[in-house]
Amino acid sequence: FYFYPQLLELIAKSQLTSLSGIAQKNYMNILEKVVQKVLEDQQNIRLIRELLQTLYTSLCTLVQRVGKSVLVGNINMWVHRMESILHWQQQLNNIQITRPAFKGTTFTDLPLCLQLNIMQRLSDGRDLVSLGQVAPDLQVLSEDRLLWKKLCQYHFTDRQIRKRLILSEKGQLDWKKMYFKLIRCYPRKEQYGDTLQLCRHCHILSWKGTDHPCTANNPETCSTSLSPQDFINLFRF
Ligand SMILES: [Zn+2]
């Protein structure tokens, strides 16, 4: 799921005006579908809120430069689309997460080491902080130094980390503070559940796991993973 919002956000940042009118219309339609899905599933809310904010900011700039603007179509249509974005933002801000009716084992029923193990798999520090706000026990776990150390080492190189050392009052490295410092300075490692693969031999794009009948002698060596940015770059001449 992460791939699409990331792609839409990159387009919103810089490529919106290079889309044709039909493509701009499709962009808005896809975005609407994504927002509806998030409202239904109640997942990835922050991701989409950030996307909408980026898009709205871009559109504000573009609409203000009317005349020079390269947005295709009547300006009123874009004002209407911006109103839709504001409406979606409001819906996402007011979303009430419904607690699942399931009454079995919950996260906090698991042994501590398992809870910690699961927390180590969260790749965004903000999720750890949110999780810590759920219950006092989780608060203690979410402050685990090793957890934050691993998170720093996952996203950043040793060199980047060495440049942003922060010591706590006890004289130890404060990995949590360092993490939030580091994300302001360097891009985090991108990770996607689904990635696009490009076969350089056949010039075929496919999702990872859906293989094409490759004619290369050694298919594995011709295939490269594409990030959303790499995908956009394919359209640059
Ligand atoms: Zn191939």
Side-chain angles (χ1 to χ4, degrees):
F1 184 77
Y2 281 92
F3 197 91
Y4 289 106
Q6 184 69 27
L7 187 62
L8 292 177
E9 184 155 4
L10 285 170
I11 294 174
K13 271 183 192 155
S14 57
Q15 303 292 323
L16 209 54
T17 52
S18 60
L19 298 179
S20 69
I22 291 285
Q24 290 180 356
K25 194 174 157 201
N26 282 336
Y27 179 95
M28 290 303 292
N29 287 341
I30 294 170
L31 183 63
E32 183 172 8
K33 294 253 163 32
V34 171
V35 173
Q36 293 311 333
K37 175 148 177 58
V38 169
L39 285 169
E40 278 166 30
D41 297 354
Q42 306 198 318
Q43 282 171 16
N44 299 305
I45 297 167
R46 187 176 55 217
L47 190 73
I48 301 307
R49 271 164 61 172
E50 287 170 357
L51 163 63
L52 291 178
Q53 192 52 49
T54 309
L55 178 63
Y56 193 79
T57 315
S58 295
L59 285 179
C60 279
T61 323
L62 291 172
V63 167
Q64 278 162 8
R65 289 188 309 182
V66 159
K68 283 176 272 174
S69 169
V70 248
L71 287 174
V72 182
N74 187 315
I75 191 71
N76 290 328
M77 188 177 71
W78 282 100
V79 171
H80 176 72
R81 285 176 181 168
M82 286 173 75
E83 280 167 4
S84 305
I85 296 173
L86 284 179
H87 175 65
W88 293 334
Q89 282 180 317
Q90 227 165 29
Q91 281 184 304
L92 288 168
N93 285 341
N94 297 336
I95 202 166
Q96 297 278 337
I97 307 283
T98 39
R99 192 180 265 271
F102 172 74
K103 287 202 178 65
T105 313
T106 62
F107 184 69
T108 43
D109 295 331
L110 296 171
L112 285 186
C113 60
L114 272 183
Q115 289 184 33
L116 209 52
N117 196 304
I118 293 171
M119 286 163 95
Q120 280 172 8
R121 283 151 217 273
L122 296 177
S123 62
D124 190 323
R126 291 173 298 178
D127 291 331
L128 274 180
V129 173
S130 303
L131 189 57
Q133 288 164 345
V134 174
D137 289 350
L138 289 172
Q139 163 71 24
V140 176
L141 272 187
S142 74
E143 294 292 333
D144 186 84
R145 282 186 70 238
L146 202 60
L147 200 60
W148 289 96
K149 182 180 176 182
K150 283 191 175 164
L151 198 58
C152 287
Q153 290 173 334
Y154 173 74
H155 287 291
F156 308 104
T157 64
D158 284 348
R159 197 185 146 84
Q160 291 170 333
I161 292 174
R162 274 202 304 274
K163 281 190 182 167
R164 311 281 160 183
L165 297 181
I166 300 175
L167 290 180
S168 68
E169 283 167 13
K170 288 181 198 158
Q172 291 175 316
L173 286 178
D174 192 330
W175 288 100
K176 185 178 173 183
K177 275 196 184 143
M178 280 161 58
Y179 170 81
F180 286 107
K181 177 96 189 166
L182 282 158
I183 54 168
R184 285 200 295 272
C185 306
Y186 307 105
R188 285 180 299 162
K189 189 162 155 180
E190 292 184 53
Q191 53 155 30
Y192 305 98
D194 304 307
T195 43
L196 274 180
Q197 301 275 115
L198 173 69
C199 177
R200 288 189 307 275
H201 181 79
C202 318
H203 299 285
I204 283 181
L205 270 178
S206 60
W207 289 104
K208 195 174 183 177
T210 53
D211 294 332
H212 62 284
C214 194
T215 52
N217 293 332
N218 207 344
E220 287 87 39
T221 54
C222 320
S223 178
T224 14
S225 290
L226 294 185
S227 71
Q229 185 62 60
D230 297 333
F231 179 68
I232 289 178
N233 292 346
L234 291 180
F235 296 90
R236 294 210 171 118
F237 299 105

